[in-house]
Amino acid sequence: MGLVTIQTAPDPVFAERYRAIAARDVRFDGQFFTAVHTTGIYCRPSCPARTPRPENVSFYLTSAAAHGAGYRACKRCLPEATPGTPAWDLRGDLAGRAMRLVADGVVDREGVDGLAARLGYSPRHVSRVLREDLGAAPLTLARAHRAQTARTLLTSTDLPVADVAFAAGFGSIRQLNDTVREIFATTPTELRARRAGAALASARTAPETADRVRLHVTLPVREPFDAAGTVAYLGARAVEGVETATTDGPEVTYARTLLLPHGPGAVHVSAGAAVGPGRVALRLELASLQDVATAVARVRRLLDLDADPVAVDTALGADPALAASVAATPGTRVPGAADPHELVVRAIVGQQISVAAARTHLGRLAAAAGTPYDSGFAGLTRLFPTAGQVADDDGTHLALPTRQRQTVTATARALADGTLDVDVGADAATLRTDLETRPGIGPWTSGYVALRVLGHPDTWLTGDVALRAGARALGLPDDHRALAERADSWAPWRSYAARHVWRAAAPIGRTLA
């Protein structure tokens, strides 16, 4: 039922988690939750309170499961303020896929039936699997996600409580009050009052216009976090008018436009020394408050904020070939995708050409087919074209070989009409097969889509030119088969290993856009 309890025989999982809470190990925050039978509360692993006796502890994989078992959140360690678990990307099973969709707001927008339809199973089967694996049904998981969003807005913005309820997905202020009281044993007003005065002053929402909502929120991130490297990766691929990035100075920034469920919007991310450790500052510009949770979830996935950097760095740093790179850039992330359909188009356009060339082609496409957008963030002037707009452009503004233009157009049309389904809840193997059955798409491109759309941590792009160049620089075999075999030793973190190998080939710059 999504929990680990004390057993008569030694349980290695229980023992590992109990050692983590005894050591108050922050690396495990968000990866599981500790419920204390004698107090009726649940905590993050690093909670500073006295460690409970083993017989008084149960461990839950989700906060929703702890809620469902009758526990309330600790007021001291605020378990809802932790980064998300990296397990939803690491595990590609039904539960992991479902959790990615829950975070994207699918249950709130489409209900349990919509979630099940996206996963390809009946609602009853999905509910049963989630109860068995995670200890909570879809509606309970979605409710916990709404509570997390509400807590973030209450403590990092000055939105009126009624707007917080609406933005978090609650149907009324009463539902918000009841949920906050049940989960946090307090009221929204009291929860807001506990935030620091300094945080209140710096988190004031920006002036609103008739058709835009603007607000600031703070996102937690596990340290170490290579903010500069992550933004540099996105900046090198930034499409003019759609994205901007800066990496100079103590603050790194990235901004882009987004098409969200309730309308167009934009996000602006700040990180680095100027912002402080363990957090990312996010400014939102939205057509509707209902898109807050979805925008936050997409930024977290785009920046890979829920990764477990210590586990990744420990594993990869043990290999002499990667040790220097890991030491130089701890907390390397694998950037995700802000929009799955957009990433598919970018991947196909970027086949067999340099990053700079792909960026040029995509900039022309966006300028010709993308919808204009007047953002309050400098440099953002349009949305990346939707799949339908790309199909309607018919490759006119892509100076690519005829066959490649046809592949872009046909694939975009399939995405637009639903013939090809690509979203964060897809099964990795099925997604790759569906893509590779299409003319002009091979394993390299399908792997790149899986890596970035699904946040898949263990993808190796066999045959990638830059990986082979980086391998030569690191003294590794550059034959693609031999290199792939060598990469097997980096499982289950081959996607992160690829970032280090790519970095060694930086002057080549010949990877996907």
Side-chain angles (χ1 to χ4, degrees):
M1 293 294 292
L3 59 84
V4 180
T5 55
I6 193 72
Q7 305 290 331
T8 303
D11 182 337
V13 175
F14 184 96
E16 177 186 359
R17 291 176 178 172
Y18 190 79
R19 286 194 299 270
I21 67 169
R24 297 175 175 79
D25 196 331
V26 297
R27 295 177 299 172
F28 292 90
D29 284 355
Q31 301 197 40
F32 66 85
F33 299 86
T34 306
V36 184
H37 309 162
T38 52
T39 62
I41 66 172
Y42 71 92
C43 304
R44 63 169 76 189
S46 66
C47 183
R50 185 177 66 180
T51 304
R53 295 172 61 87
E55 60 267 26
N56 292 329
V57 169
S58 292
F59 296 123
Y60 292 85
L61 296 181
T62 65
S63 60
H67 303 162
Y71 296 93
R72 67 181 187 276
C74 175
K75 295 181 180 179
R76 187 171 182 181
C77 70
L78 297 176
E80 306 298 323
T82 62
T85 174
W88 313 138
D89 292 334
L90 186 61
R91 57 189 288 181
D93 59 5
L94 180 60
R97 294 165 55 204
M99 285 301 292
R100 295 199 295 268
L101 290 170
V102 169
D104 198 56
V106 168
V107 173
D108 290 333
R109 294 192 300 271
E110 304 173 21
V112 177
D113 288 349
L115 174 69
R118 285 175 176 255
L119 294 169
Y121 293 92
S122 70
R124 181 175 181 179
H125 179 71
V126 171
S127 296
R128 179 180 62 79
V129 169
L130 292 181
R131 286 194 187 96
E132 290 178 353
D133 285 9
L134 306 179
L139 289 176
T140 305
L141 292 166
R143 181 170 179 257
H145 187 64
R146 290 195 293 272
Q148 293 167 0
T149 301
R151 188 210 60 79
T152 297
L153 294 175
L154 287 167
T155 58
S156 65
T157 78
D158 59 359
L159 282 175
V161 173
D163 287 346
V164 170
F166 181 67
F170 291 99
S172 65
I173 297 178
R174 179 176 179 178
Q175 286 184 3
L176 170 67
N177 288 335
D178 290 347
T179 299
V180 169
R181 188 175 293 109
E182 178 182 342
I183 294 176
F184 302 113
T186 187
T187 67
T189 302
E190 291 168 346
L191 188 61
R192 166 166 281 168
R194 290 206 298 268
R195 67 183 178 180
L200 173 62
S202 64
R204 291 289 182 187
T205 56
E208 298 181 11
T209 61
D211 60 343
R212 303 264 177 87
V213 177
R214 295 182 173 89
L215 65 155
H216 300 181
V217 296
T218 300
L219 307 182
V221 57
R222 291 186 181 86
E223 291 289 346
F225 173 45
D226 179 24
T230 304
V231 170
Y233 182 93
L234 294 171
R237 294 153 176 80
V239 175
E240 185 177 359
V242 177
E243 303 165 278
T244 64
T246 63
T247 55
D248 298 329
E251 181 180 30
V252 298
T253 67
Y254 172 78
R256 68 156 295 149
T257 56
L258 285 171
L259 183 58
L260 296 162
H262 297 92
V267 296
H268 183 283
V269 176
S270 301
V275 178
R279 61 184 181 178
V280 167
L282 177 63
R283 294 159 60 194
L284 299 172
E285 181 180 86
L286 307 172
S288 169
L289 278 172
Q290 289 177 285
D291 284 329
V292 170
T294 300
V296 168
R298 293 185 183 181
V299 169
R300 295 199 68 85
R301 293 189 62 78
L302 179 65
L303 302 180
D304 197 17
L305 297 186
D306 294 327
D308 184 351
V310 174
V312 175
D313 288 356
T314 299
L316 299 184
D319 190 316
L322 301 181
S325 181
V326 172
T329 54
T332 290
R333 296 304 207 266
V334 176
D339 182 279
H341 289 186
E342 174 188 320
L343 198 282
V344 173
V345 172
R346 295 173 75 133
I348 298 172
V349 170
Q351 292 179 136
Q352 304 302 316
I353 60 176
S354 70
V355 168
R359 182 178 179 181
T360 298
H361 289 300
L362 291 164
R364 291 172 182 160
L365 176 64
T371 302
Y373 179 82
D374 182 18
S375 175
F377 303 134
L380 303 185
T381 59
R382 65 187 63 254
L383 299 169
F384 193 88
T386 65
Q389 288 172 325
V390 173
D392 290 343
D393 185 73
D394 200 27
T396 302
H397 295 91
L398 292 172
L400 297 170
T402 300
R403 184 181 178 188
Q404 194 170 355
R405 293 201 308 271
Q406 291 172 343
T407 299
V408 171
T409 300
T411 304
R413 187 169 291 114
L415 289 168
D417 65 21
T419 305
L420 176 62
D421 186 20
V422 178
D423 64 26
V424 297
D427 172 74
T430 301
L431 173 61
R432 296 193 63 170
T433 298
D434 289 346
L435 286 169
E436 290 175 29
T437 56
R438 305 194 65 82
I441 298 179
W444 180 59
T445 304
S446 72
Y448 187 76
V449 172
L451 183 152
R452 294 199 57 185
V453 170
L454 305 183
H456 196 265
D458 198 32
T459 294
W460 185 257
L461 302 179
T462 301
D464 182 85
V465 174
L467 286 179
R468 295 176 66 183
R472 286 193 295 273
L474 294 171
L476 296 168
D478 65 353
D479 174 78
H480 67 89
R481 290 188 179 85
L483 180 58
E485 291 177 1
R486 178 67 170 80
D488 288 345
S489 65
W490 299 323
W493 309 116
R494 281 175 286 188
S495 299
Y496 294 88
R499 289 276 283 119
H500 288 286
V501 178
W502 271 330
R503 187 175 288 115
I508 303 297
R510 194 172 173 80
T511 62
L512 287 167

